[in-house]
Amino acid sequence: MKPLAMFILLLLPNAGVCWAEKQYPVTGIVLKVNQSHKTLVVSCESIPGYMNAMVMPFEVHNVKDLDGLTPGVEVNFTLVVGMESNYAEHLQIRQYESVEQDPLAARRLKLLDQLTHPGSTSARALVIGQRVPNFTLIDQNSHRVTLSQFSGKVVVINFIYTSCALPNFCFRSSNNFGVLQKRFKESMGKELILLTVTFDPRHDQPDVLARYAGTWKADPATWHFLAGPVPDIQHVTNLFGMDYFPNEGLMIHSLHTAIVDRRRRLVANIEGNRFTVEQLGDLVQTVLRPHDGRQGNQR
């Protein structure tokens, strides 16, 4: 055998090792799904040994792997990295499960309510893609605020009560909006509106909400803290599957953050608090700029 041919044969086993596919576990929030191109865009948590947290597009080999995925859904999957391509496989939706008392108790009370009141409107939350019905509430300046007045703008909605003593719940949700207000400073009011709805309207009157809004330096023209009559609050919370129950002067409640697009369709309804504020911002950015092809943005 010629020396060159023997040298190539000796290299081949080593080359095979170098070219072997590598696999990495990935967790993130879905930002966009394209069934026809068999791709999804994910705001990923950092992948040790591979990349920092960033927004990345991924291909899948089987389009059925994308079934059930919508913006705002948390996913786990395996990233397979080859020499010339990479793809996602074994995609699994991470259902929100909390070991903390409030969300767990709220879920149990909701199930009990559905069993005892099968026709209850609390079970009829909007699904992704549905148009959000109009509603009117009162903001921290005692002004009437109607969802329809924000036609053509992206609206992000969360739910709090000002007496919540748990830092990972209402305080964190409000802080998330405070960060969004800074990140999207140039878009606030022109393209983006924040709505924070109290589910304790008996206590959270406009003056209370105004003081609470001051904590976050909220611009009242672009970030509205909303209260109103109890039936009106119940109507809005039911739309987004928000559950809450009075308990010895406090509230047992679930956690929801919803995003409504420019055509008033529900784009995402994130349950829980496992997502980061950066991931929430990435999702808002995707809804604001749905045709922006820039990905791979490191955070």
Side-chain angles (χ1 to χ4, degrees), residues 178-231:
V179 175
L180 292 183
Q181 182 177 232
K182 294 177 182 177
R183 175 170 172 175
F184 297 100
K185 182 178 179 180
E186 301 303 318
S187 298
M188 291 296 295
K190 294 179 287 188
E191 297 182 281
L192 178 64
I193 294 292
L194 305 179
L195 301 181
T196 292
V197 180
T198 179
F199 45 86
D200 186 16
R202 291 187 176 92
H203 175 266
D204 291 341
Q205 294 293 308
D207 60 323
V208 175
L209 291 175
R211 290 194 296 272
Y212 187 79
T215 303
W216 314 103
K217 297 181 172 61
D219 181 348
T222 60
W223 183 359
H224 302 270
F225 288 74
L226 302 176
V230 171

Side-chain angles (χ1 to χ4, degrees), residues 4-5 14 17 21 24 31-32 43 49 51 56-58 82 102 106 139 143 155 158 198 210 212 258 272:
L4 179 60
N14 294 328
V17 172
E21 292 181 334
Y24 301 92
L31 305 183
K32 190 186 300 185
S43 179
M51 72 179 193
M56 286 290 293
F58 299 95
D102 271 24
D139 74 3
H143 296 155
V155 179
N158 66 5
T198 179
Y212 187 79

Side-chain angles (χ1 to χ4, degrees), residues 7-294:
F7 178 69
I8 292 174
L9 286 174
L10 289 171
L11 282 179
L12 283 177
N14 294 328
V17 172
C18 294
W19 294 346
E21 292 181 334
K22 295 184 178 180
Q23 298 186 355
Y24 301 92
V26 183
T27 297
I29 292 282
V30 175
L31 305 183
K32 190 186 300 185
V33 178
N34 189 320
Q35 294 269 353
S36 60
H37 289 83
K38 296 197 293 188
T39 61
L40 74 161
V41 179
V42 180
S43 179
C44 302
E45 298 177 10
S46 62
I47 305 175
Y50 186 66
M51 72 179 193
N52 295 326
M54 67 175 64
V55 175
M56 286 290 293
F58 299 95
E59 294 183 0
V60 296
H61 284 173
N62 188 343
V63 70
K64 289 187 177 296
D65 288 342
L66 302 177
D67 289 350
L69 298 186
T70 58
V73 166
E74 291 185 89
V75 289
N76 293 329
F77 60 91
T78 299
L79 173 61
V80 181
V81 179
M83 184 173 181
E84 296 182 355
S85 65
N86 60 73
Y87 60 94
E89 66 177 10
H90 308 311
L91 282 92
Q92 294 183 326
I93 295 175
R94 295 181 69 198
Q95 301 295 342
Y96 178 66
E97 295 291 343
S98 175
V99 296
E100 298 181 87
Q101 187 62 33
D102 271 24
L104 186 62
R107 178 167 292 179
R108 289 172 176 169
L109 288 170
K110 177 182 178 180
L111 292 173
L112 180 62
D113 182 62
Q114 290 174 352
L115 289 172
T116 55
H117 304 90
S120 172
T121 56
S122 64
R124 302 181 192 142
L126 296 169
V127 299
I128 302 303
Q130 278 190 305
R131 183 174 172 83
V132 180
N134 199 27
F135 59 80
T136 300
L137 295 172
I138 306 298
D139 74 3
Q140 66 267 43
N141 289 335
S142 297
H143 296 155
R144 288 167 57 85
V145 172
T146 302
L147 182 62
S148 60
Q149 76 187 65
F150 306 121
S151 177
K153 300 175 183 178
V154 174
V155 179
V156 189
I157 305 170
N158 66 5
F159 301 88
I160 60 95
Y161 78 110
T162 62
S163 301
C164 184
L166 300 173
N168 281 336
F169 293 179
C170 298
F171 183 90
R172 178 174 176 175
S173 188
S174 297
N175 186 66
N176 285 346
F177 272 27
V179 175
L180 292 183
Q181 182 177 232
K182 294 177 182 177
R183 175 170 172 175
F184 297 100
K185 182 178 179 180
E186 301 303 318
S187 298
M188 291 296 295
K190 294 179 287 188
E191 297 182 281
L192 178 64
I193 294 292
L194 305 179
L195 301 181
T196 292
V197 180
T198 179
F199 45 86
D200 186 16
R202 291 187 176 92
H203 175 266
D204 291 341
Q205 294 293 308
D207 60 323
V208 175
L209 291 175
R211 290 194 296 272
Y212 187 79
T215 303
W216 314 103
K217 297 181 172 61
D219 181 348
T222 60
W223 183 359
H224 302 270
F225 288 74
L226 302 176
V230 171
D232 293 349
I233 294 294
Q234 290 176 336
H235 168 67
V236 176
T237 55
N238 286 341
L239 291 176
F240 300 99
M242 180 68 199
D243 304 305
Y244 54 96
F245 302 88
N247 180 38
E248 297 180 355
L250 298 175
M251 291 281 187
I252 295 172
H253 62 92
S254 60
L255 301 161
H256 284 268
T257 304
I259 302 178
V260 180
D261 71 9
R262 300 176 192 272
R263 291 188 286 174
R264 232 168 75 197
R265 296 175 308 178
L266 182 64
V267 174
N269 187 359
I270 312 173
E271 184 180 6
N273 56 2
R274 290 191 307 204
F275 60 90
T276 67
V277 66
E278 290 81 12
Q279 289 174 323
L280 176 60
D282 292 340
L283 184 52
V284 171
Q285 176 70 30
T286 302
V287 180
L288 280 171
R289 305 282 181 268
H291 304 298
D292 189 343
R294 293 176 297 173

